[in-house]
Amino acid sequence: MSSLQALQQQLLQAVLSERTPATLPLVRADGIADTGSRLEVYRHGYRVRLRDALKQEFPGLHHMAGAQFERLLDKYVAAHPSEHYNIRWYGAGLAAFLDYARPWRDRPALAEMARVDWAISIAFDAADEPSANIAELSAVAPEAWPGLQLSLQQNLHVLDCRFNTAAFRRAADQGGKRPRLRRLQQPRQLLVWRKDSSVHYRQLEVDEWQALGAAIRGEPFAALCAQLAAYHAQASALPRMVALLQGWLEAGLIRGWSFA
Amino acid sequence: MSTSTIGLPYLGYGLGLRTEHYQDLLADPGQVEWLEIVSENYLVNGGLPLIWLQRFRERFPLVMHGVSLSIGSTDPLDEDYLSRLARLARRIEPAWVSDHLCWTGVQGVNLHDLMPLPYTEEALEHVAGRVRQVQDRLKRRILLENVSSYVSFADSQLSEWEFLAAVAERADCLILLDINNVHVSAMNHGFSALDYLRGIPVSRVQQFHLAGYEQGEHLIIDTHDAPVSHAVWDLYIEAVRRFGRVSTMIERDDNFPPLAELRAELEHARTLAEPLLRNAA
Ligand SMILES: [Fe+2]
């Protein structure tokens, strides 16, 4: 190992260590400040920067965890050295951390909340994608519709939620009061996507998720309609599908289509 | 007194571009002549950051300032970072690209900080080689900025300015001289800021940063979150005397005041520098 490499590794360990070492032979001593307080500038700065970066990305989690948020961040920072050059990506592992680390794993709403915050965060600067409009789609011949396969935006995320996590994020975004945590009667899906430059999120209706899920899997239009048939009388399934499709187009969820 | 002999343009008086000032800066740029972006903020795949960047690109000369090159690290250069950086540079054609004379991590861990190097022959050779690698990759000379530091190393054989000057000469790169960082490190390590300026080759200095710091108990901390201090303005005058016409900007990274306050600081820089430059002409 080169002596430069050895120096960098030792200094890195000093910054990551739980307590600032009082001395480190590689650091030059002088009368201005002791080695411990010199190292502490770096040790403290590292933690502050990571915590600040996380605070920006996880406003919903902040709202939900309340007074425990700081401690939660400290534990994550202590357990996870940053590995990406861009500090913005440091939060990528927070939800998984909350899944397994005590005591947070006993409150599964926190990990779920972290997933929602993170999906919103990454949608913000995901790649730009084209989106289809209604006029283009209405030019498709009627007999071609059953075999039509929608292609959806790649930056769209669907998250399974067992709690009213979206309400916490909404309260955080709008400066609202902290809602009461509720377990949903059955898991529901939250759709996160970006239209132009704004990120949106909303809970999907149960039937909508069945149709959208089929579209995401690449199933043809006829199969989407079949999904809805389980929820609607025969006469109303097709109008419902048309209404959903209009909504998806307006929200910019659809990139284009092809034929099976 | 002369301008840089290395051939990059002189841009005048500028500011660091920060989201907090996006709207105000487009509405009323005042005397702001150019902008420095933090490269990492725009190494993204799409969305709002790049839309804003395009708007500023149409109105101002831009320069790219990165914090993640980690030129002094003993880890390999980050290929993904370099290719994104090169792509951004092709997209916005900045007047120049800069980063810091430091390392930001090792063994795959990133400290997101500008860690100082030991000023040794070994480090000098290591850094100069990597600068040449990066310059080949970006097909342009880069600028390296002096950082504020809180530790120095028992192994160092050179002063910080000797090291910076030697890196610039050996790698044939340019220097972004942060006047505040010179002052901060001079105070923290007990060297003379004027010796520092005198040790830097005039022809290599392409840009100045001016910023503020915070007085700690024993050390001064480079927070870049306060107005430029008296001591730094005094040092700036000395720097203008030595280096002549150098593109200058106010760099504020936190605790953002209204844009008008930064513009006033920038005008103060102009008021200090221009009479000296006219007299020398
Ligand atoms: Fe700087």
Side-chain angles (χ1 to χ4, degrees):
Chain A
M1 194 189 315
S2 75
S3 58
L4 180 59
Q5 195 172 23
L7 175 142
Q8 291 181 342
Q9 294 187 2
Q10 284 180 52
L11 198 55
L12 181 93
Q13 290 314 321
V15 174
L16 296 179
S17 68
E18 210 132 316
R19 284 218 198 97
T20 312
T23 60
L24 196 63
L26 59 89
V27 171
R28 175 177 284 168
D30 65 21
I32 298 174
D34 59 87
T35 299
S37 30
R38 289 181 178 280
L39 292 171
E40 180 58 19
V41 176
Y42 292 106
R43 219 192 62 91
H44 177 72
Y46 173 70
R47 287 157 180 78
V48 169
R49 273 189 304 282
L50 293 182
R51 278 203 307 262
D52 285 352
L54 293 172
K55 281 179 194 167
Q56 286 208 3
E57 310 295 339
F58 295 93
L61 184 62
H62 193 169
H63 225 51
M64 185 182 279
Q68 290 186 54
F69 187 58
E70 295 281 339
R71 201 165 74 86
L72 180 158
L73 296 186
D74 284 344
K75 293 285 180 196
Y76 180 63
V77 169
H80 286 257
S82 178
E83 286 175 351
H84 198 274
Y85 66 79
N86 199 336
I87 198 166
R88 143 126 180 55
W89 293 102
Y90 181 58
L94 184 57
F97 170 77
L98 296 173
D99 276 336
Y100 70 75
R102 277 182 210 281
W104 325 108
R105 68 179 193 195
D106 301 327
R107 294 177 58 193
L110 293 172
E112 183 180 303
M113 186 73 248
R115 285 202 168 81
V116 170
D117 278 335
W118 189 247
I120 292 170
S121 173
I122 58 177
F124 174 73
D125 51 15
D128 300 309
E129 298 179 74
S131 54
N133 61 46
I134 294 178
E136 291 167 329
L137 196 60
S138 43
V140 172
E143 64 275 14
W145 272 90
L148 179 123
Q149 281 174 317
L150 298 171
S151 72
L152 291 137
Q153 298 283 340
Q154 316 231 303
N155 65 34
L156 150 172
H157 290 264
V158 178
L159 297 116
D160 291 324
C161 292
R162 288 182 290 152
F163 300 91
N164 59 332
T165 37
F168 283 84
R169 175 67 192 222
R170 193 147 277 132
D173 286 345
Q174 299 170 354
K177 228 175 84 231
R178 186 163 180 267
R180 212 190 163 82
L181 181 64
R182 239 173 0 91
R183 183 183 279 273
L184 305 177
Q185 281 172 345
Q186 47 175 306
R188 295 286 295 274
Q189 282 68 36
L190 188 76
L191 175 68
V192 178
W193 79 104
R194 190 177 83 217
K195 187 188 184 200
D196 301 325
S197 58
S198 331
V199 177
H200 304 269
Y201 52 95
R202 70 175 172 85
Q203 195 175 64
L204 292 169
E205 297 300 328
V206 175
D207 63 334
E208 181 181 18
W209 165 232
Q210 294 307 321
L212 186 65
I216 291 171
R217 291 190 299 272
E219 294 176 21
F221 195 73
L224 275 54
C225 294
Q227 291 286 350
L228 288 182
Y231 295 87
H232 300 274
Q234 207 176 6
S236 55
L238 189 60
R240 172 64 174 156
M241 189 61 241
V242 171
L244 286 176
L245 190 56
Q246 260 171 3
W248 297 349
L249 284 161
E250 277 160 23
L253 298 181
I254 296 176
R255 281 173 69 100
W257 59 85
S258 57
F259 296 97
Chain B
M1 211 177 294
S2 68
T3 51
S4 168
T5 56
I6 312 273
L8 291 179
Y10 168 72
L11 298 180
Y13 298 83
L15 286 181
L17 178 61
R18 302 292 180 265
T19 50
E20 285 75 3
H21 297 134
Y22 276 176
Q23 306 274 3
D24 292 347
L25 206 48
L26 283 180
D28 182 12
Q31 306 284 95
V32 178
E33 295 172 285
W34 58 282
L35 297 172
E36 182 191 80
I37 65 163
V38 174
S39 310
E40 284 73 7
N41 294 346
Y42 306 95
L43 300 183
V44 297
N45 293 326
L48 207 46
L50 295 177
I51 293 174
W52 278 107
L53 184 60
Q54 193 51 39
R55 288 180 196 152
F56 286 104
R57 179 68 190 87
E58 286 158 15
R59 299 275 296 272
F60 294 90
L62 299 180
V63 311
M64 278 167 52
H65 185 50
V67 295
S68 310
L69 188 57
S70 201
I71 198 75
S73 174
T74 46
D75 277 2
L77 287 164
D78 187 323
E79 271 305 310
D80 172 51
Y81 177 71
L82 276 179
S83 60
R84 282 173 177 268
L85 198 68
R87 206 179 316 150
L88 183 64
R90 280 196 300 274
R91 181 182 183 126
I92 68 168
E93 299 178 313
W96 58 79
V97 176
S98 65
D99 204 293
H100 300 81
L101 181 57
C102 70
W103 56 286
T104 61
V106 70
Q107 289 179 295
V109 176
N110 203 309
L111 295 174
H112 305 287
D113 204 348
L114 309 173
M115 307 301 290
L117 286 158
Y119 305 129
T120 60
E121 175 58 33
E122 180 199 13
L124 178 55
E125 195 48 37
H126 178 68
V127 172
R130 282 165 58 109
V131 173
R132 286 192 298 266
Q133 231 180 304
V134 171
Q135 295 188 143
D136 285 349
R137 181 65 182 271
L138 299 179
K139 300 187 181 66
R140 51 166 85 224
R141 280 200 186 83
I142 60 168
L143 281 61
L144 287 182
E145 175 180 354
N146 60 302
V147 301
S148 290
S149 63
Y150 311 98
V151 295
S152 60
F153 300 105
D155 280 355
S156 289
Q157 299 138 357
L158 303 171
S159 65
E160 184 182 323
W161 57 92
E162 286 167 337
F163 186 80
L164 174 58
V167 166
E169 296 293 348
R170 209 176 280 191
D172 190 17
C173 70
L174 300 174
I175 294 173
L176 193 180
L177 200 60
D178 187 313
I179 310 291
N180 174 69
N181 293 353
V182 170
H183 175 72
V184 169
S185 292
M187 299 299 286
N188 287 343
H189 304 300
F191 60 71
S192 154
L194 291 177
D195 285 348
Y196 197 121
L197 297 188
R198 283 193 282 265
I200 299 296
V202 171
S203 64
R204 296 271 169 199
V205 176
Q206 176 64 31
Q207 184 188 344
F208 288 152
H209 271 170
L210 291 166
Y213 60 81
E214 187 184 293
Q215 180 69 53
E217 199 183 336
H218 300 291
L219 298 167
I220 60 177
I221 311 294
D222 164 32
T223 46
H224 275 55
D225 72 347
V228 178
S229 70
H230 288 294
V232 170
W233 284 126
D234 288 347
L235 195 57
Y236 174 58
I237 290 171
E238 295 307 318
V240 172
R241 287 204 171 105
R242 173 165 172 79
F243 299 103
R245 214 170 258 298
V246 173
S247 303
T248 297
M249 60 158 265
I250 308 289
E251 187 184 41
R252 183 68 78 95
D253 293 335
D254 211 341
N255 191 20
F256 298 98
L259 180 64
E261 238 170 82
L262 293 184
R263 289 207 319 237
E265 272 193 295
L266 190 61
E267 286 321 295
H268 187 61
R270 195 193 302 267
T271 310
L272 293 177
E274 287 305 314
L276 298 173
L277 295 166
R278 273 197 299 275
N279 288 345

